[in-house]
């Protein structure tokens, strides 16, 4: 079967690149299953079934989609408090097959009248293991993402405690990877207290053997399968936990090793095979 993995990419909007690693994951998994696959910005290529990433951008960007396109949602779903979850997006989702990476998102969508056809977890392909780490690594803690007040507060507390923290936003691809290669520990903080675990972001880090410290999840089921692979801590305890980890090379190495092993066990080809059955 022929597929096209589409990343919705409005002109001048750099943040579509945030979907690129998931697009690569789908593309290489499809190839490994014997399918013909291309990566594209187009929404309607003759003879191909489209899997579309970045559908939250479609209400603002008139991309023509194939009628049988699959919209794979990668955004957190918070009804009434997310700028992405608009009536226009919901109407679009109701008119297509929808996949999501999160059971919690699927439940939230159901309450909004959107049926998620398949929950397709974020999986692993070997092509994404590609970061070569610096020696020595000269960044204690790295945060990549938008700096809302909730996140900035944690980072400010870490800096006040003498921890070297670099925060970067709007970096993708090789420039981002060069920063990751220098980091001893990568930090994940939810933008809101009830946030869904950011596995879309974390999967690439784990696939490259990064040690990750994350804020605990509102839903314990989100973090339980990764409790051995990611260091979890309560929001207020993140600076203290970061200090403990960067002073323990053995624990950092264990987290990196276990995180990589866990991600490798989550084969994207298996998830796609089940979703397409």
């Amino acid at each position: 079967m022929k597929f096209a993995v589409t990343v919705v990419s409005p002109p001048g909007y750099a943040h579509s690149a945030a979907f690129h690693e998931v697009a690569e994951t789908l593309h290489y998994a499809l190839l490994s299953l014997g399918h013909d696959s291309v990566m594209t910005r187009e929404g309607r290529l003759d003879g191909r079934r489209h899997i579309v990433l970045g559908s939250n951008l479609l209400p603002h960007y008139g991309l023509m989609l194939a009628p049988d396109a699959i919209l794979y949602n990668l955004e957190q779903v918070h009804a009434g408090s997310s700028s992405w979850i608009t009536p226009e997006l919901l109407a679009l989702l109701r008119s297509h097959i929808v996949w999501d990476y999160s059971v919690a998102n699927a439940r939230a969508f159901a309450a909004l009248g959107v049926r998620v056809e398949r929950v397709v977890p974020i999986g692993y392909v070997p092509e994404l293991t590609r970061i070569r780490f610096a020696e020595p690594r000269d960044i204690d803690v790295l945060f990549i993402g938008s700096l809302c007040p909730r996140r900035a507060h944690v980072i400010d507390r870490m800096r006040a405690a003498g921890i070297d923290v670099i925060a970067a936003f709007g970096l993708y691809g090789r420039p981002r990877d060069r920063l990751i290669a220098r980091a001893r520990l990568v930090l994940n903080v939810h933008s809101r207290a009830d946030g869904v675990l950011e596995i879309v972001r974390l999967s690439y880090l784990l696939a490259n053997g990064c040690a990750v410290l994350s804020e605990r999840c509102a839903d314990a089921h989100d973090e339980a399968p990764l409790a051995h692979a990611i260091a979890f801590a309560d929001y207020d305890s993140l600076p203290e936990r970061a200090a403990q980890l960067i002073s323990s090379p053995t624990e950092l190495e264990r987290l990196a090793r276990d995180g990589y092993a866990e991600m490798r066990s989550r084969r994207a080809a298996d998830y796609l095979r089940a979703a397409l059955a």
Side-chain angles (χ1 to χ4, degrees):
M1 191 169 178
K2 292 186 176 182
F3 287 91
V5 180
T6 296
V7 175
V8 179
S9 304
Y13 186 75
H15 303 302
S16 291
F19 304 120
H20 190 76
E21 282 79 33
V22 179
E24 287 184 278
T25 298
L26 295 171
H27 170 67
Y28 287 117
L30 287 166
L31 292 177
S32 74
L33 291 172
H35 298 293
D36 182 326
S37 174
V38 297
M39 292 176 59
T40 181
R41 297 180 177 184
E42 300 297 326
R44 193 167 188 156
L45 296 177
D46 289 344
R48 292 187 179 273
R49 183 80 182 274
H50 286 258
I51 303 175
V52 179
L53 308 180
S55 55
N56 55 297
L57 301 173
L58 289 170
H60 313 282
Y61 175 51
L63 181 69
M64 293 293 295
L65 294 181
D68 65 346
I70 298 166
L71 306 188
Y72 189 3
N73 174 63
L74 299 177
E75 293 295 324
Q76 295 191 19
V77 182
H78 299 286
S81 57
S82 170
S83 60
W84 293 123
I85 309 303
T86 62
E88 294 79 11
L89 176 62
L90 294 174
L92 183 67
L93 294 172
R94 292 182 189 119
S95 66
H96 285 85
I97 291 174
V98 177
W99 289 358
D100 203 294
Y101 71 97
S102 162
V103 172
N105 277 351
R107 288 196 298 263
F109 268 138
L112 296 169
V114 174
R115 180 174 183 267
V116 173
E117 185 79 21
R118 294 279 190 273
V119 173
V120 184
I122 304 298
Y124 173 82
V125 292
E127 288 82 358
L128 290 193
T129 303
R130 58 196 178 200
I131 295 177
R132 295 186 177 183
F133 288 95
E135 191 58 49
R137 304 187 200 182
D138 62 346
I139 298 172
D140 286 339
V141 177
L142 173 65
F143 175 83
I144 299 175
S146 59
L147 265 187
C148 62
R150 198 172 184 279
R151 290 166 168 165
H153 176 67
V154 171
I155 290 170
D156 288 344
R157 286 184 58 208
M158 287 186 179
R159 288 173 174 160
I163 299 172
D164 173 35
V165 185
I166 298 294
F169 175 58
L171 280 184
Y172 304 101
R174 289 183 179 178
R176 175 209 54 203
D177 288 358
R178 284 194 288 269
L179 265 187
I180 293 172
R182 296 168 52 199
R184 301 173 65 200
L185 180 67
V186 184
L187 174 66
N188 182 62
V189 184
H190 310 317
S191 61
R192 44 186 291 162
D194 60 349
V196 177
L197 184 66
E198 294 84 350
I199 193 62
V200 174
R201 178 182 307 171
L202 298 179
S203 59
Y204 185 65
L205 299 172
L206 298 178
N208 280 283
C210 298
V212 175
L213 168 64
S214 176
E215 179 186 359
R216 290 199 179 281
C217 303
D219 185 345
H221 291 96
D222 272 354
E223 67 182 71
L226 289 162
H228 64 295
I230 292 174
F232 286 100
D234 294 330
Y235 177 77
D236 290 333
S237 301
L238 287 168
E240 179 184 0
R241 185 68 175 123
Q244 292 170 349
L245 288 169
I246 61 177
S247 67
S248 176
T250 301
E251 180 63 4
L252 289 177
E253 290 172 8
R254 185 200 66 76
L255 281 171
R257 182 178 62 250
D258 289 354
Y260 176 57
E262 175 63 31
M263 200 63 220
R264 283 189 65 189
S265 74
R266 301 179 173 210
R267 296 183 67 249
D270 293 341
Y271 297 147
L272 268 183
R273 184 186 294 108
L276 295 169

